[in-house]
Amino acid sequence: MYILSRNKGSETLLLLTLCLSNSFLVAVLVSLVVYKTTQRIKNINTILRSYAMGNLAPKARWVGSTGDDDIDELAELLNHTAEVIRQIMDELSREKSKLQTIFDKADDGFIVVDKESQINLINPAALHLIKAEASQIIGKTIIEATLNHDLSKLVERVIKTNTAGSLQIELPKGEPTFLNVYAAPIEPTGALVVMHDITEAKRIDAIRRDFVSNVSHELRTPLASIRVMAETIALRGKTHPHVSEEFAQKIISEVDRLTAISNDLLDLAQIEAGRRNIRSEEFVLKETVETAIAGLVPKAEQKAIELSIRIPDHIVVNADKGAVHQIITNLVDNAVKYTRPSGSITITATESNGWVSISVADTGIGIPQEDIPRIFERFYRVDKARSRESGGTGLGLSIVKHLVEMQGGKVNVESQLGKGSVFTFTIPAKSS
Ligand SMILES: Nc1ncnc2c1ncn2[C@@H]1O[C@H](COP(=O)(O)OP(=O)(O)O)[C@@H](O)[C@H]1O
Ligand SMILES: [Mg+2]
């Protein structure tokens, strides 16, 4: 009984101990699970905090999880969401940098203003156009920045009426700058102003207008004298046959000059329209120069001008033969025209660093220093009457300049009044 009761007592003790140790184990296990779950939630919390601060780099990673409970699903979702946001943000930042590049590198000026016409944003092209620094301009109004009332009024109207508008303006700072300005509303914050520089287009337009009036002037003079001479022949030709003969000769030379003008104009027009293509080939320079001046030898002989070529036989150029022929003809024709009888003309050539430099030197009348920068302009002549008398068109040197530059070369002139001139141009040598 005792034994039994003792036995019973130990059983109870054992049972009690077992019970106690089981519940302890459960408690430990439960608290372990709770601890882990808390840790995982804390982990999510930390990651969310870093996302909230804009850092999407950390990823949720679960140590010891089974990978299939709700928290894991949440982590998976969190990672996926972060990935999607990261992709959207990358895309946005790529788009932003594209827009920034357009804004920075555009030739046109862009200005963004607020409702009060105050400048919020301005690109380098606009700063260049209004000749200002960004630091001085941000926050200023359009009128303060550009000093242009028309532009300021346009921007105010665009903001007020919420409709786009455009106009042409001239900026007063420094060299005159002409702009085409377009302004469009940006709802609800202000307006965008786009400025396109048309100064160069206006300059070219003015040159074209000048050119047309020059051409008509050039044509009017010979046409008027042809008319007068033809009338004289009609009135007095029968009774004064020698007058008919003399004026008929004059008419012929005027018509020749008109033909020369029209040929030169055609050449210039083709060159400037880009229709004259340069066809480079290798040829012996001396031979082409000799052919080019052949037609001018009688003219030089008439004036007892000594015409000599001092070009080494071995110089071979890689250039457009027709163009070189035309350049030499024009320069030597001028040299013969503007050199007094018994003078001399020498054509020389040297080769260095892949270029051949060709000079036409004369002992002629020379060119005044102040005219030198202008003689390559169309129709520019130092002495109009003299040029006209000798059949000049005033276009020869502009053609020369174009033809040389089209081949990558340069043309240059040195001259001393009363002593003579040296015209030098370069063309590519045969590649070694
Ligand atoms: N070798 C030269 N010596 C003096 N003046 C020159 C010479 N070459 C050109 N010029 C000046 O440059 C002007 C322009 O030359 P160019 O265009 O060939 O026209 P053109 O010979 O028809 O007058 C000439 O009118 C002349 O005043
Ligand atoms: Mg000429």
Side-chain angles (χ1 to χ4, degrees), residues 3 7 52 64-65 74 83 87 119 144 173 209 216 232 287 300 327 373 379 384 399 403:
I3 288 168
N7 277 352
S65 75
L74 187 67
E83 186 53 39
Q87 278 171 10
I119 298 173
E144 288 167 339
K173 289 184 188 172
R209 268 201 307 275
S216 44
T232 314
E287 285 171 11
I327 295 166
F379 294 121
K384 277 209 170 207
I399 294 175
L403 291 177

Side-chain angles (χ1 to χ4, degrees), residues 264 329-335 337-338 381 387 390-398 400:
D264 279 357
T329 312
N330 270 307
L331 293 180
V332 177
D333 178 56
N334 281 349
K337 271 197 312 202
Y338 303 111
R381 283 158 291 189
S387 159
S390 52
T393 62
L395 297 170
L397 286 182
S398 356
V400 165

Side-chain angles (χ1 to χ4, degrees), residues 292-430:
I293 67 161
L296 297 163
V297 171
K299 219 169 145 187
E301 277 174 355
Q302 254 177 27
K303 289 177 84 177
I305 291 171
E306 195 191 324
L307 191 54
S308 45
I309 299 176
R310 287 197 207 132
I311 299 176
D313 293 331
H314 62 82
I315 292 188
V316 177
V317 293
N318 183 14
D320 184 308
K321 210 174 185 171
V324 172
H325 189 287
Q326 207 171 345
I327 295 166
I328 294 286
T329 312
N330 270 307
L331 293 180
V332 177
D333 178 56
N334 281 349
V336 174
K337 271 197 312 202
Y338 303 111
T339 297
R340 289 183 207 93
S342 306
S344 68
I345 298 166
T346 315
I347 308 167
T348 53
T350 53
E351 183 178 348
S352 84
N353 296 330
W355 289 88
V356 173
S357 168
I358 304 152
S359 293
V360 178
D362 64 51
T363 57
I365 59 168
I367 305 161
Q369 258 353 91
E370 66 269 24
D371 290 304
I372 288 183
R374 301 202 59 190
I375 55 167
F376 292 96
E377 287 175 19
R378 292 180 291 203
F379 294 121
Y380 191 83
R381 283 158 291 189
V382 177
D383 181 344
K384 277 209 170 207
R386 186 180 196 134
S387 159
R388 188 168 295 134
E389 225 170 76
S390 52
T393 62
L395 297 170
L397 286 182
S398 356
I399 294 175
V400 165
K401 191 170 159 67
H402 274 300
L403 291 177
V404 171
E405 288 176 354
M406 278 169 80
Q407 303 182 74
K410 285 197 177 90
V411 61
N412 171 52
V413 56
E414 278 170 29
S415 188
Q416 259 190 302
L417 207 55
K419 293 230 165 119
S421 316
V422 185
F423 282 81
T424 305
F425 68 98
T426 52
I427 43 170
K430 174 195 170 192

Side-chain angles (χ1 to χ4, degrees), residues 181-365:
V181 182
Y182 172 79
I186 309 177
E187 268 266 84
T189 50
L192 168 72
V193 180
V194 182
M195 304 202 277
H196 181 65
D197 191 350
I198 51 162
T199 315
E200 183 60 12
K202 275 208 168 244
R203 196 183 65 83
I204 290 171
D205 219 40
I207 290 176
R208 198 166 292 146
R209 268 201 307 275
D210 271 7
F211 181 62
V212 170
S213 78
N214 275 339
V215 170
S216 44
H217 181 77
E218 291 294 328
L219 298 181
R220 210 164 351 166
T221 320
L223 286 174
S225 65
I226 288 172
R227 189 190 159 92
V228 170
M229 290 185 284
E231 272 172 1
T232 314
I233 292 173
L235 282 172
R236 302 173 58 197
K238 277 201 185 114
T239 50
H240 300 81
H242 66 281
V243 169
S244 296
E245 204 177 310
E246 188 195 330
F247 281 16
Q249 270 311 323
K250 283 189 176 161
I251 290 175
I252 290 172
S253 73
E254 286 295 351
V255 170
D256 283 349
R257 223 169 68 74
L258 283 175
T259 312
I261 293 179
S262 108
N263 286 342
D264 279 357
L265 280 176
L266 211 66
D267 264 353
L268 260 186
Q270 277 187 336
I271 293 169
E272 289 182 354
R275 265 184 277 136
R276 166 82 185 251
N277 294 322
I278 288 295
R279 263 172 264 114
S280 290
E281 57 179 314
E282 290 179 0
F283 59 89
V284 178
L285 180 67
K286 194 177 179 182
E287 285 171 11
T288 299
V289 172
E290 278 169 349
T291 326
I293 67 161
L296 297 163
V297 171
K299 219 169 145 187
E301 277 174 355
Q302 254 177 27
K303 289 177 84 177
I305 291 171
E306 195 191 324
L307 191 54
S308 45
I309 299 176
R310 287 197 207 132
I311 299 176
D313 293 331
H314 62 82
I315 292 188
V316 177
V317 293
N318 183 14
D320 184 308
K321 210 174 185 171
V324 172
H325 189 287
Q326 207 171 345
I327 295 166
I328 294 286
T329 312
N330 270 307
L331 293 180
V332 177
D333 178 56
N334 281 349
V336 174
K337 271 197 312 202
Y338 303 111
T339 297
R340 289 183 207 93
S342 306
S344 68
I345 298 166
T346 315
I347 308 167
T348 53
T350 53
E351 183 178 348
S352 84
N353 296 330
W355 289 88
V356 173
S357 168
I358 304 152
S359 293
V360 178
D362 64 51
T363 57
I365 59 168

